[in-house]
Amino acid sequence: MGRWRWRRWLGPAVSVAPGARVDRFEVFFDLVFVFSFFIITRATAVQITGSALLHGMLVLAVLWWTWVVHSVVATRVRLGHGFVPVLMVVGMAALFCFALSLPQAFRDPRGGAAGPVVVAVSYVVIRAVHFILYLHVVQDSPDERRQTLRFAPEMTLSTLLLLAAALIPTWIDDLGVAGMVRDGLWLTVVVLQYSTGLIGGAKGWAVASAEHWTERYELILIIALGESVISVGVGSNLLGQPPTWPAVAAAVLGIFFTAALWWAHYDVIGPAARIALHATQGLSRVGMARDAYAYFFLPMIAGIILFALGAEGIVHEIANPSVPIHEPPHGPGVPLLFGGVICYLCGNMLFQWRTLGTLSWTRVGAVLALAAGIPIGSHLPGLAALTLLTAICVALVVLEVVIMADARHALHEVVFQERTTHEAREAEWRARWHEDGTDDRGTST
């Protein structure tokens, strides 16, 4: 009994109840994911090549799967209660080490395997923390326990593959072959992870709180959008020199098109999808939660990182006094900028189709306009290319506000009524504190 004394002191794990919201510890944990997104962007921005982009996307896919597993655990147990935060802090430390080591994961194998090994070891610690915690929580549920154990091979094999990707290339003399082996092993990890999620099916899983699940993913998407603003501001060297009018205009345009992308999801699609998940029950809810949020959020996050890389390069040239303002952007800035927004919108359309069963022609039109804008923007000055992208994104928002006015107002009214009803019930419950003999300052009367 002595070994469980610490658990009695801290308290037991507490299950997530229907209607539960995201707690503050989960947002605290997300700070490390913010850092991870930032590291991926910064490591890729050092020298943007096809292989660097491939490596960045592979790392993002593995990191996102870790996030998905984390969200599955968080929908079953409250991460900020009892002894659970102690375990999660261990996971946070491992995730932080994972993020710090990412820039070395695809470096020259002749430089040693220390960085890639740290990546693999940190990964197994993160996964082990989630696995052990989830097994403990579902110990009284045979179906959930069996389903959890079915994912143990995926965790073991993915860890072994990451270790192999760290060690085997150091034994190969040919750098080209060594790089292909390493990349192939990472790609195998990604295929293994996401195929396991599909093959494993929805049976045995449950989404107790649709509110918690949707809020969890909506918050990480906002964090990713915010990180893109930070990356552009830091990487484009806007802070390293006196501001110029072109640089200020580029910064304003960056905020405008990022806000338009936020609006494209959070104004109608996000709230409507949340209601759709609430209305769905059982295995259908689990399937929708997996497909729409765990899988289709990934291209949206990838798109954010890609357009941040493109915007950073373009804004850096605009802010550089030695680069003529009329000169077109150099490098892959325009394709990354427009292509990233296309990736984001395509992911959002997949999300809309899976949750609402609809597809907006305005989104399809915006994607086609952005695709046509790539060759045009490549021949325009950097500021004009940013203006073109911003105009397309803002035009999408304006069109949808006008065209979907009635449906949009009806949805917002439903959401407002839900919130006010919920707040009224919370206020009614808290009124008991006054009934129990406390004044407005919380002191006894």
Side-chain angles (χ1 to χ4, degrees):
M1 293 294 292
R3 62 176 179 166
W4 301 110
R5 188 174 301 165
W6 61 274
R7 205 174 76 184
R8 293 202 305 270
W9 291 338
L10 295 173
V14 179
S15 297
V16 172
R21 303 288 299 272
V22 173
D23 66 36
R24 289 171 178 80
F25 185 87
E26 295 177 69
V27 180
F28 177 49
F29 193 98
D30 287 348
L31 295 177
V32 187
F33 276 99
V34 176
F35 179 70
S36 302
F37 292 151
F38 182 77
I39 288 294
I40 292 173
T41 307
R42 299 269 45 81
T44 308
V46 172
Q47 186 176 6
I48 300 178
T49 61
S51 60
L53 290 172
L54 172 64
H55 297 160
M57 293 301 101
L58 288 174
V59 168
L60 175 64
V62 173
L63 177 68
W64 181 252
W65 187 254
T66 305
W67 161 260
V68 170
V69 173
H70 174 72
S71 66
V72 170
V73 175
T75 199
R76 191 64 175 78
V77 59
R78 294 181 182 270
L79 301 186
H81 293 265
F83 68 89
V84 178
V86 176
L87 285 178
M88 296 315 299
V89 168
V90 175
M92 286 178 67
L95 180 60
F96 190 67
C97 294
F98 181 85
L100 287 173
S101 306
L102 289 179
Q104 285 76 44
F106 292 93
R107 292 287 173 86
D108 190 335
R110 292 173 299 185
V117 168
V118 172
V119 169
V121 173
S122 301
Y123 174 83
V124 72
V125 172
I126 301 166
R127 294 297 303 274
V129 167
H130 288 139
F131 188 76
I132 293 170
L133 177 59
Y134 200 87
L135 270 182
H136 170 76
V137 173
V138 302
Q139 59 184 333
D140 296 327
S141 175
D143 289 342
E144 288 184 285
R145 187 176 180 86
R146 279 194 298 269
Q147 183 73 335
T148 305
L149 291 173
R150 288 175 62 186
F151 278 78
E154 176 271 316
M155 182 181 72
T156 304
L157 286 175
S158 60
T159 301
L160 292 175
L161 287 168
L162 287 177
L163 281 172
L167 298 175
I168 292 178
T170 62
W171 304 334
I172 301 175
D173 295 330
D174 190 315
L175 288 180
V177 175
M180 291 177 61
V181 170
R182 177 196 57 205
D183 295 354
L185 289 169
W186 271 82
L187 183 60
T188 305
V189 171
V190 174
V191 172
L192 173 66
Q193 290 174 332
Y194 289 86
S195 61
T196 301
L198 291 173
I199 296 170
K203 186 178 180 180
W205 300 113
V207 179
S209 173
E211 186 68 25
H212 181 277
W213 183 269
T214 56
E215 187 178 19
R216 198 81 181 87
Y217 280 82
E218 302 289 358
L219 286 174
I220 198 66
L221 186 64
I222 289 179
I223 288 172
L225 284 169
E227 186 278 331
S228 71
V229 175
I230 296 172
S231 292
V232 173
V234 173
S236 60
N237 200 32
L238 287 177
L239 303 177
Q241 53 194 346
T244 61
W245 285 115
V248 171
V252 170
L253 289 172
I255 293 297
F256 280 1
F257 82 74
T258 304
L261 295 179
W262 171 89
W263 189 291
H265 177 77
Y266 289 95
D267 183 52
V268 172
I269 304 301
R274 181 180 69 86
I275 294 174
L277 191 65
H278 272 285
T280 309
Q281 298 294 328
L283 295 182
S284 297
R285 172 184 283 189
V286 175
M288 181 185 292
R290 177 197 62 195
D291 299 341
Y293 290 89
Y295 281 73
F296 293 153
F297 260 55
L298 177 57
M300 295 169 67
I301 300 291
I304 290 170
I305 291 177
L306 291 175
F307 77 63
L309 286 169
E312 174 185 327
I314 294 174
V315 175
H316 187 275
E317 292 188 11
I318 294 173
N320 188 349
S322 63
V323 177
I325 191 65
H326 62 273
E327 194 169 304
H330 301 91
V334 170
L336 284 174
L337 177 65
F338 283 74
V341 176
I342 290 172
C343 187
Y344 176 90
L345 290 178
C346 286
N348 196 255
M349 286 191 291
L350 288 171
F351 174 83
Q352 177 186 354
W353 167 77
R354 184 62 181 87
T355 54
L356 306 177
T358 62
L359 198 61
S360 302
W361 64 266
T362 50
R363 308 288 172 104
V364 177
V367 167
L368 294 176
L370 288 165
I374 294 176
I376 297 173
S378 299
H379 294 87
L380 294 175
L383 194 58
L386 270 177
T387 303
L388 175 62
L389 176 89
T390 305
I392 294 173
C393 294
V394 172
L396 169 65
V397 169
V398 172
L399 273 175
E400 292 191 342
V401 166
V402 173
I403 294 171
M404 299 190 298
D406 293 339
R408 180 172 171 270
H409 291 156
L411 174 65
H412 288 184
E413 181 64 26
V414 170
V415 172
F416 178 75
Q417 290 177 359
E418 177 197 16
R419 288 178 179 172
T420 53
T421 302
H422 178 71
E423 291 166 358
R425 290 176 178 173
E426 283 189 332
E428 181 182 355
W429 192 92
R430 290 168 183 153
R432 301 176 187 177
W433 298 339
H434 300 284
E435 295 171 1
D436 290 342
T438 57
D439 58 20
D440 290 340
R441 293 170 296 177
T443 57
S444 299
T445 57

